[in-house]
Amino acid sequence: MDPQSLEEETKPWLESGGKPEIQQTKPKTYEVVSSRISVVYKPTTQEAPSVLPQIFAAISAGSFHVAVGFSLAYSAILIPQIEASDSDLEINKEDTPWLASVLVLVVPIGALLAGFAMEYVGRLNTIKIAAVPCLLGWFLIATGSSFGVVLCGRLLTGVAAGIGTSPAIVYITEVAKPELRGALVSTCPTLASFGMLLSYIKGAYLTWRTAAWTTVIYVAIPLLLISIWIPESPVWLVARGRVDEAEKSLKWLAGEKSSLPEQQLAALVKSQDMKALVTSGFMGRLAGLGRSTGYKPLLVLFGLFFFQQFSGVYTTLFYSVELFKDVGSSLDPSMATILVGIMRLVMSFFITALLRRFGRRPLCMLSACGMAVCMVVSGCITWYINDGGEGMSWVPVVCVLLYVCSSMIGLLSIPWTMTAELFPTEIRGLAHGITISVAHILMFFSIQCYRDLRDLLGGAHALQWFFAAMALGGLIFVYIFLPETHGKKLAEIEEYFKENAIYIKRKVPVQRTETGAEASEFVMINSKA
């Protein structure tokens, strides 16, 4: 090389002081997690995966929640119409409450079935299975000529709700990036709220039989989306030895231009935990529930759902008309239910945005505080109205609507989004099914005891104060026990439960390196320079 060429080539290096150029922008990391191995890859800017496939996959898998939300709110239009004097179906008024509560009672059965099914046939195939009892149930409701037939239809739609919701949350947890996981999982309750609003609106304009027939489309759309476009969870595929399909799934989720799928797949295939996951069987999963990474998150979620249910958040759904009457409102019942549905839907979109920026703990605590304040104020004004006061009947209505908004910020929505991310891969399906079952059992008792508890405490005002007390109890529980999972890798969440049970006294995790012994459980893969 001649001196002039050498000078031209070394000029930039000399001008920088003889120091190599340093890339200042820290690359993002992405994750696929087995039961004990976290696969982290740092892509270059040119090969960074797109998030659009993950968003589309999350919406597609969660779209069955529209049918579930419609089922939950359907009793609000079914019971008033069949109790009307011109109804074509003769049912005793003593039996009609069962048409509302039986759905919640049988959801745990569906959730447990889903816990087993999603481990053996896959996350998406389990949603397809749920479509069968759902369609059959709505057919029985639409054509039912007796209380028994309609009740059987509600039973089947309840079982379908339990089967179809669990795998969607597990699927999204496994395919989403850590920073998007909470927001994408929250699309499920958002779609359920949309289904509830559709039910309320149809109840104002359609007969209960016609509304039942329209649910076919809410089942057909999810089947079409998950059957044609989105792939199965790559974590589950590798666990079942279907490596080629897992590679295709990873490429679809990350984008064809990214080299991330090859790196992820190589690490997953080498993982011995994947082989253990396939051969562990049912008894191995039960044993996993007995380990600290199994029973600790179960207890945390059980406590969280207890305070969620008995703080009254689902009373506004199942007893919205009666609740507005109890607080002294003269608002039209149909308008009241539609307002509640609109509030839930709007706040569902709002919480999706919040979960991308803020942690679970502050949102849950803010939510509990807002709920408690609204119920205290509403209870005081309700007491004033029932004691003969006048001119403030609008205040309880506003307080109840603000209470719905506050609950959606955290205490109502966030527990459902955490039911999959707190558990290790090898027990995720079963543990999620158990958690959902317990949550709906608590929901059943909270709904069934609404009137008895109101009478026992001495009126609607005292019941609202009880809801406020339970919300404050939830705030304390969250502060002490609930771990922060926002932006955390699934492996980091698992590590937390190995060493901790109380969050405010948690141990500081050991700093792991890429080459040290402490990093033996983690496989770090970096792009070449």
Side-chain angles (χ1 to χ4, degrees), residues 6 19 68 206 218 245 265 283 397 457 473 489 509:
L6 180 62
K19 297 180 181 180
V68 174
L206 302 176
Y218 307 139
E245 294 177 58
L265 185 66
M283 297 307 297
V397 176
L457 295 175
K489 304 179 184 68

Side-chain angles (χ1 to χ4, degrees), residues 415-459:
W416 301 106
T417 68
M418 301 182 73
T419 52
E421 67 180 358
L422 295 188
F423 298 106
T425 303
E426 68 268 24
I427 64 170
R428 186 171 296 142
L430 179 60
H432 178 79
I434 293 173
T435 305
I436 295 299
S437 299
V438 172
H440 281 84
I441 291 172
L442 291 171
M443 186 189 301
F444 173 78
F445 283 109
S446 68
I447 293 171
Q448 283 293 98
C449 72
Y450 167 73
R451 293 173 179 172
D452 294 334
L453 191 59
R454 178 192 60 195
D455 297 337
L456 177 65
L457 295 175

Side-chain angles (χ1 to χ4, degrees), residues 152-230:
C152 287
R154 291 288 285 170
L155 282 168
L156 288 172
T157 56
V159 172
I163 297 175
T165 53
S166 298
I169 294 175
V170 172
Y171 176 84
I172 297 171
T173 299
E174 292 178 342
V175 304
K177 292 164 39 176
E179 60 267 33
L180 287 178
R181 189 170 58 237
L184 291 183
V185 171
S186 70
T187 59
C188 293
T190 300
L191 291 168
S193 297
F194 178 63
M196 294 175 192
L197 179 59
L198 288 175
S199 182
Y200 294 146
I201 294 175
K202 288 181 180 181
Y205 300 101
L206 302 176
T207 66
W208 61 275
R209 293 188 187 274
T210 304
W213 282 118
T214 62
T215 56
V216 173
I217 191 172
Y218 307 139
V219 181
I221 290 176
L223 286 179
L224 183 65
L225 292 174
I226 66 179
S227 298
I228 298 178
W229 283 290
I230 67 172

